[in-house]
Amino acid sequence: MDERTATMVTSELLGKIRTGLYDFLAESPEERPALISQPSQAIRRSPAAPPAPEPSPLLGAELARLFARNPNAAAGRIHLIGLEPIRERLGERWPKLRDSIHQLASKVIGQHLGPDDVFCRYGTLDYLIAFSALTPEAARIKSVAIAQALYGHFLGSDDLEGITIKTAVGQIDGAIVFDQQPLHGILNALADLSPVPVDDKLCLRPRSDPTTLLEWQYRPVLDRQHGVLSTWCCVPFIRPPVGLVKEGYRVLGRDADADRIAELDRITLDHALRDLDDLIANRFSVFVNVPLHFENLCTRRTRAGVLGLLQQTDEMLRRFLVFTIQGAPGDIPRGRLLELASMLRPFCRSVLLAADPHDHSVAYAKECGIHGVTFDLGGQFDAAGHLPPALEKICRNVEHSGVRLAMIGIRTDAQAQLAADLGATYLGGPRIGPPGEAPANMVRYGWNDLMAGRCPL
């Protein structure tokens, strides 16, 4: 049965938040909590404690603004997530790791929030999060996603035992009531709900299972010409409760329409841009490759979300951004391919085309402004590990035409050698290196290093 843990009037809730802010200003540096009002903004803090507490213009004002017109809107949209199970499991290691854990926790939470959402440290172990526009069901799903990301990041485990989330569930006589529920209980309850339409740009769920959460990983690409691991491909994936991991556009299922594809492209681009922004801010040198689907790009209505993000992207980030057009029909007209490439080129470093080697579009990729063509070698090899002669000829023609050739799906040294012999500039696949949660800094990795298995990742 759900445990009702606290009843607080709205003013008292804001008062407690402000008290936490005053404590923040008064605490010693090693005890100071992280405080963020928006994921992408850093808060300037005064090193000196104020002579007397004053109302905070930060989180308290944000919460008041979000819920002033409709106080009942707070129900289901304010959550408390704690780190107590992490402290218990770390035991004696907690004091040494505490500061770095709180710093990383703030980053993980911030990555899941929209621009108008707010959060802060609440007490010594809890984080209070307020979602500005989500429905209660969507806010609860987002809180579950945050909790799973936090515990998976720090403990490397999918064990949800002991993890609880406190949720504002309503008001009684003007007071906000919080319920505390174990995380696995929330997941079980969500499994009985029909899928809830969510229009927040960072929350996409397969329609068949509202408890399955979308994640991303980055796969390294070797630039053979320069001898570096320079590019990381952003790949969305899900781990269903039953069955194998699904990745790429397969996360949407077989019946995905253009709107769902556009939604996936938009949130994947948003995720990649946030990570790239962090990397550039920390002086990393790296390129990020983001997939964009033909079904999304070919109509003005569906591509509006992606173009809206790109138009707001800083010029510096565009220099390190690469796009791969996915799902284009093999007989796409020259004019349409030229239109798509011309539309994307102002926003990125280069545009690639994922194609079947036998597609007609491969022949005129160069004249349409395509920088490179990507072939997936998975399933192309015969029993002896060779490619059909016709395919080898196509690869050589692509390389000779001045279009960069990228080959992915490389799993063995023999496949890597064959791709190199055919003139491939970019190599990707399990043999090149393991995927990561975030792109790594560009690093030297020559052909001899690859053959010797000296992967620096």
Side-chain angles (χ1 to χ4, degrees):
M1 185 174 181
D2 294 346
E3 176 187 2
R4 299 208 162 183
T5 60
T7 301
M8 296 177 287
V9 296
T10 304
S11 60
E12 182 182 353
L13 174 62
L14 295 177
K16 288 180 177 294
I17 296 170
R18 294 190 185 103
T19 300
L21 297 177
Y22 308 149
D23 293 342
F24 158 77
L25 292 172
E27 285 173 343
S28 59
E30 61 271 18
E31 292 292 333
R32 287 177 182 169
L35 174 62
I36 298 180
S37 63
Q38 294 187 13
S40 59
Q41 294 180 347
I43 306 302
R44 295 183 179 273
R45 308 184 179 101
S46 170
E54 297 180 359
S56 167
L58 212 54
L59 185 70
E62 285 295 307
L63 285 177
R65 179 183 64 81
L66 292 178
F67 304 118
R69 294 184 179 179
N70 181 13
N72 291 327
R77 291 162 62 187
I78 295 180
H79 296 79
L80 282 168
I81 298 177
L83 304 184
E84 177 64 31
I86 294 179
R87 183 176 70 172
E88 290 181 356
R89 296 183 203 183
L90 291 178
E92 296 179 354
R93 293 182 293 164
W94 170 261
K96 288 185 178 181
L97 300 175
R98 177 188 53 205
D99 292 342
S100 60
I101 286 176
H102 278 301
Q103 182 179 4
L104 290 172
S106 296
K107 180 178 179 181
V108 170
I109 294 173
Q111 289 175 341
H112 285 76
L113 301 187
D116 293 326
D117 299 335
V118 292
F119 80 94
C120 76
R121 281 269 298 279
Y122 184 68
T124 58
L125 290 171
D126 292 336
Y127 284 85
L128 185 146
I129 306 171
F131 299 102
S132 62
L134 296 184
T135 64
E137 291 84 1
R140 179 166 289 192
I141 290 172
K142 181 63 72 67
S143 297
V144 170
I146 292 173
Q148 288 184 318
L150 283 173
Y151 286 85
H153 185 86
F154 295 124
L155 301 178
S157 171
D158 294 329
D159 182 12
L160 307 181
E161 192 67 32
I163 303 174
T164 61
I165 294 178
K166 300 176 184 178
T167 303
V169 295
Q171 292 190 352
I172 300 178
D173 297 329
I176 296 179
V177 178
F178 278 79
D179 267 5
Q180 176 174 296
Q181 286 187 309
L183 189 57
H184 61 77
I186 296 176
L187 287 173
N188 291 337
L190 289 173
D192 296 331
L193 295 176
S194 59
V196 179
V198 178
D199 55 11
D200 179 70
K201 65 183 178 182
L202 290 181
C203 186
L204 177 76
R205 293 171 287 114
R207 296 194 187 281
S208 60
D209 186 356
T211 67
T212 301
L213 301 171
L214 184 67
E215 301 177 76
W216 290 268
Q217 63 182 6
Y218 290 88
R219 292 181 177 172
V221 173
L222 170 65
D223 182 341
R224 192 173 60 88
Q225 184 178 23
H226 297 96
V228 292
L229 286 175
S230 59
T231 304
W232 291 78
C233 298
C234 187
V235 181
F237 71 98
I238 58 172
R239 295 187 179 95
V242 178
L244 301 176
V245 171
K246 299 179 181 179
E247 61 182 42
Y249 295 100
R250 287 192 294 272
V251 304
L252 300 176
R254 296 180 179 180
D255 300 326
D257 56 20
D259 289 327
R260 290 288 284 176
I261 292 173
E263 184 183 8
L264 178 59
D265 277 355
R266 179 167 54 87
I267 62 174
T268 297
L269 175 61
D270 185 277
H271 179 85
L273 286 173
R274 293 192 185 197
D275 284 344
L276 182 58
D277 189 26
D278 288 341
L279 294 171
I280 300 303
N282 287 283
R283 301 183 182 276
F284 275 44
S285 179
V286 62
F287 302 110
V288 171
N289 187 319
V290 181
L292 295 176
H293 201 280
F294 172 80
E295 292 295 332
N296 174 20
L297 298 174
C298 66
T299 61
R300 181 176 301 178
R301 178 181 60 83
T302 55
R303 70 190 181 209
V306 164
L307 293 181
L309 282 176
L310 293 176
Q311 289 165 356
Q312 301 172 29
T313 302
D314 185 83
E315 177 65 29
M316 176 61 72
L317 294 186
R318 297 177 185 178
R319 300 176 187 176
F320 299 92
L321 193 60
V322 177
F323 291 130
T324 298
I325 299 176
Q326 301 274 358
D331 57 351
I332 179 175
R334 282 181 171 85
R336 176 52 65 88
L337 186 57
L338 176 61
E339 173 194 353
L340 298 183
S342 300
M343 178 178 64
L344 295 175
R345 285 178 65 183
F347 302 107
C348 63
R349 183 178 186 88
S350 58
V351 179
L352 308 181
L353 175 67
D356 184 275
H358 301 286
D359 288 349
H360 295 301
S361 57
V362 173
Y364 46 79
K366 175 69 173 180
E367 63 187 85
C368 292
I370 297 296
H371 179 263
V373 174
T374 299
F375 294 155
D376 188 344
L377 297 187
Q380 299 282 359
F381 294 95
D382 59 22
H386 300 122
L387 292 176
L391 183 54
E392 293 191 17
K393 181 178 179 180
I394 292 172
C395 292
R396 297 187 190 279
N397 289 340
V398 169
E399 192 270 335
H400 290 152
S401 70
V403 175
R404 299 294 187 187
L405 179 61
M407 290 191 173
I408 62 174
I410 295 175
R411 299 181 176 276
T412 66
D413 287 349
Q415 293 175 357
Q417 185 64 63
L418 178 58
D421 293 341
L422 294 176
T425 301
Y426 305 110
L427 306 181
R431 180 61 189 87
I432 305 305
E437 293 184 359
N441 201 10
M442 189 181 299
V443 63
R444 288 287 176 189
Y445 189 43
W447 185 255
N448 292 335
D449 296 321
L450 175 64
M451 292 293 103
R454 295 191 292 264
C455 184
L457 302 176

